[in-house]
Amino acid sequence: MPYLIQNATVITMDPVSGSDPVRRDIRIVDDVIESIAPTLEPVAGDTVINGTDKLVIPGLVNAHTHSWEALYKGRYDNLPLELWMALCYPILGNSRVEPDLIALRSKLFAIESLKSGVTTLVDDVLENPDQDFEQLTAVFDAYDEVGVRANISGHIISKPFTDTLPFMDEYLPPAVAAQVRTLTVPTAAEYLALSRRAFETLDGRGDGRLRYMVAPSAPQRCGEDVLVGATALAKEFDAEFHIHVLETKTQLVTGTEKYGQSLVRYLSGIGALVRNTTFAHGIWLTPEDIEMVADAGASVSHNPISNMKLGSGIAPWRELLNAGVNLGLGTDGCSSSDSPRLLDVIKATALLHKVTEPDFTAWPTVGEVLHAATLGGARSAVREATIGSLEAGKQADLVIFDLETLAFTPRQKLDVQLVYSENGSSIETVMVAGRIVVDHGTITTIDEAAVRAELGERLVELRAWQDRLDAANSVFAAPFTQMYQRAMNTPSQIHRFSGHTHA
Ligand SMILES: [Zn+2]
């Protein structure tokens, strides 16, 4: 049904007013914004939403996350990426996760995302030990039902995991190495066939709300055949090519040790750095790497909370922006940041880069941060033509905040309060493609209590499964710690930690 939001304060993110709050009426017909102007007259049949004392913003875009981790929230702390991954993405002892659990996990994650104002997920879905079409379909089905917008990946690690880390031949006990070698990994042909099938049958579901994207895990975790083939598919279907690049110093060292060059130069050299490429993290990019990313017109998804929790380092926010690199913001998964609330990431971004830079004129502005959380993420998701701002013709994805709340009292600069004062508790209504999916704080598309109850019933079994996997993978703790310490002590051209200057 058509909606008319009247008399609202709106952050449009359009080219004229940007992130400045302005007075607007918004008319929504079907899934699109039909018009947005200082005043609009209701048309017969319109459902009028009173925007007085409300702030309306474009739906937030979470430009990097993993719904797998929704079942791992709050499970681990104080582990760096490589040690954490050995538990959260187990190497040994995996068995196929059934589609019904994947559906439940996806619903849980989508509900929490929507209720916190995230209308688009870039969900790098990773299944262990491998992902099949039925599992992938379960995510599409769940997101279709809940009503979120998403890019959903096929994710691939096409090498034995211990081959993707430096110094393993020195530290990994031979018996463990032999055990890892018995595991099969997906081939490029299998992955590319799954991806083509997903593009041809799942991509575009929900009137285009749900898209398939290719996601080779990382340059060092995949063969060249995977990286080149996935890039070709991303070009053919004009889809996102999503990949983790230089998240940790260990990965910087991996480039030198295993490729004799930066991993970005390697990707560029094989033609896998293109406009539809989004790097998740991009912390340990050198100045030359940043130039290559900018020249390709590629994007970086910045995930400061996950990067702090895993001790990965601080991405060069200002250097990336100065070079002209498009930036999105991501929460990363619910194990490395323990929440899909992008508003937390927005605040962390605005704060973090102030303590790394004494020149206060280079600090992130509210406008830059909100751009990354909306249009920047949309551009990284290859959706900038349809989402990311409130403009006529774009999809009606928006969030309505109640301004009669403590976070917005007293009302000063609402854009600044949105970034620094609000945590999502003032969210009243969330709309995706013109459909109200959150109404007065309640999800309308699905029975949230039933989802939580079903998970509750499965929790004992779930935790026993996770405990077994933790035990099976504890063999990696000692060798990975040795590898990690050696990587930290390896001299590097760039420095991305706060505090101590390592070698
Ligand atoms: Zn990730």
Side-chain angles (χ1 to χ4, degrees):
M1 71 179 93
Y3 290 99
L4 179 65
I5 304 173
Q6 276 191 315
N7 197 36
T9 304
V10 181
I11 290 176
T12 65
M13 300 306 300
D14 71 19
V16 177
S17 56
S19 63
D20 292 337
V22 290
R23 164 72 181 74
R24 289 286 182 274
D25 289 358
I26 306 171
R27 186 154 193 274
I28 295 144
V29 178
D30 299 325
D31 56 341
V32 298
I33 297 170
E34 185 222 45
S35 46
I36 173 166
T39 52
L40 292 168
E41 290 304 316
V43 177
D46 280 357
T47 298
V48 174
I49 297 173
N50 184 359
T52 309
D53 297 322
K54 312 290 182 203
L55 174 69
V56 184
I57 71 166
L60 301 173
V61 179
N62 186 347
H64 178 65
T65 188
H66 304 279
S67 54
W68 162 281
E69 292 174 40
L71 300 178
Y72 283 80
K73 191 190 282 174
R75 194 169 163 86
Y76 307 113
D77 196 11
N78 289 348
L79 291 171
L81 177 89
E82 292 79 13
L83 278 98
W84 163 81
M85 262 191 94
L87 300 177
C88 194
Y89 292 94
I91 301 166
L92 299 173
N94 284 303
S95 54
R96 180 176 184 266
V97 178
E98 293 300 325
D100 65 331
L101 185 60
I102 292 173
L104 198 56
R105 173 189 88 190
S106 304
K107 289 173 187 172
L108 175 77
F109 187 67
I111 291 168
E112 191 177 2
S113 296
L114 286 172
K115 288 177 78 172
S116 65
V118 171
T119 53
T120 299
L121 296 170
V122 174
D123 185 1
D124 192 354
V125 182
L126 199 172
E127 309 292 350
N128 280 315
D130 192 8
Q131 186 180 33
D132 61 42
F133 190 77
E134 197 188 349
Q135 291 173 313
L136 188 59
T137 304
V139 183
F140 275 82
D141 288 345
Y143 286 176
D144 205 5
E145 184 180 349
V146 181
V148 73
R149 190 182 299 279
N151 287 3
I152 299 161
S153 81
H155 184 110
I156 178 171
I157 297 176
S158 72
K159 294 180 179 178
F161 192 75
T162 47
D163 285 6
T164 71
L165 300 169
F167 318 129
M168 276 296 106
D169 48 346
E170 292 174 56
Y171 300 136
L172 199 64
V176 178
Q179 213 181 339
V180 173
R181 297 246 157 258
T182 65
L183 304 171
T184 54
V185 288
T187 66
E190 287 165 347
Y191 176 69
L192 297 174
L194 173 86
S195 291
R196 179 166 290 282
R197 185 177 173 197
F199 274 126
E200 288 174 351
T201 60
L202 297 174
D203 188 33
R205 271 187 57 178
D207 296 323
R209 269 193 301 111
L210 305 178
R211 291 216 61 194
Y212 179 75
M213 67 173 180
V214 286
S217 187
Q220 74 279 9
R221 294 180 196 144
C222 295
E224 193 174 315
D225 45 3
V226 169
L227 298 165
V228 171
T231 305
L233 282 173
K235 284 183 183 171
E236 181 180 341
F237 292 94
D238 197 23
E240 180 172 358
F241 174 100
H242 197 80
I243 184 165
H244 294 79
V245 179
L246 291 169
E247 181 173 359
T248 63
K249 188 177 174 192
T250 301
Q251 294 172 11
L252 179 81
V253 173
T254 303
T256 314
E257 289 289 319
K258 290 184 178 284
Y259 293 79
Q261 60 182 327
S262 113
L263 292 171
V264 178
R265 184 165 293 286
Y266 165 69
L267 284 176
S268 176
I270 62 171
L273 179 55
V274 296
R275 191 178 188 277
N276 287 4
T277 307
T278 292
F279 287 0
H281 308 292
I283 297 171
W284 291 83
L285 300 174
T286 65
E288 300 77 52
D289 292 337
I290 292 172
E291 285 307 317
M292 280 186 274
V293 179
D295 288 348
S299 300
V300 171
S301 174
H302 180 37
N303 296 255
I305 290 184
S306 170
N307 299 157
M308 287 192 273
K309 182 148 190 265
L310 298 174
S312 302
I314 302 171
W317 162 273
R318 180 57 60 196
E319 289 86 340
L320 287 161
L321 277 186
N322 284 349
V325 174
N326 176 60
L327 292 180
L329 294 184
T331 60
D332 214 347
C334 275
S335 179
S336 69
S337 73
D338 302 77
S339 166
R341 272 195 310 274
L342 201 73
L343 280 163
D344 293 1
V345 176
I346 287 171
K347 182 170 182 175
T349 302
L351 293 171
L352 176 63
H353 305 287
K354 301 189 203 307
V355 293
T356 59
E357 174 59 71
D359 174 8
F360 63 86
T361 65
W363 290 355
T365 66
V366 160
E368 288 170 334
V369 176
L370 290 176
H371 183 278
T374 54
L375 283 169
R379 159 77 184 81
S380 84
V382 197
R383 289 177 181 268
E384 68 271 31
T386 52
I387 60 165
S389 59
L390 300 178
E391 297 178 76
K394 279 204 164 181
Q395 286 286 296
D397 289 11
L398 53 84
V399 185
I400 305 178
F401 294 81
D402 184 9
L403 294 175
E404 294 281 284
T405 59
L406 291 170
F408 288 106
T409 304
R411 287 184 215 174
Q412 296 279 358
K413 293 178 180 168
L414 295 180
D415 52 339
V416 180
Q417 278 169 285
L418 175 66
V419 170
Y420 291 103
S421 313
E422 168 60 17
N423 66 358
S425 60
S426 306
I427 291 174
E428 198 171 81
T429 303
V430 179
M431 190 179 274
V432 179
R435 177 189 191 193
I436 291 176
V437 291
V438 175
D439 187 13
H440 291 86
T442 301
I443 192 95
T444 62
T445 50
I446 190 168
D447 184 348
E448 177 190 327
V451 170
R452 283 193 287 105
E454 191 180 342
L455 263 169
E457 282 168 22
R458 300 180 71 153
L459 187 61
V460 171
E461 174 201 358
L462 179 69
R463 287 187 58 172
W465 166 68
Q466 292 171 323
D467 288 346
R468 276 198 306 277
L469 286 168
D470 279 1
N473 289 280
S474 62
V475 292
F476 297 104
F480 281 18
T481 300
Q482 287 176 294
M483 177 275 301
Y484 170 81
Q485 287 168 342
R486 180 152 156 202
M488 292 308 112
N489 289 322
T490 301
S492 62
Q493 170 198 346
I494 52 168
H495 173 64
R496 301 281 185 242
F497 291 118
S498 67
H500 305 292
T501 305
H502 288 253

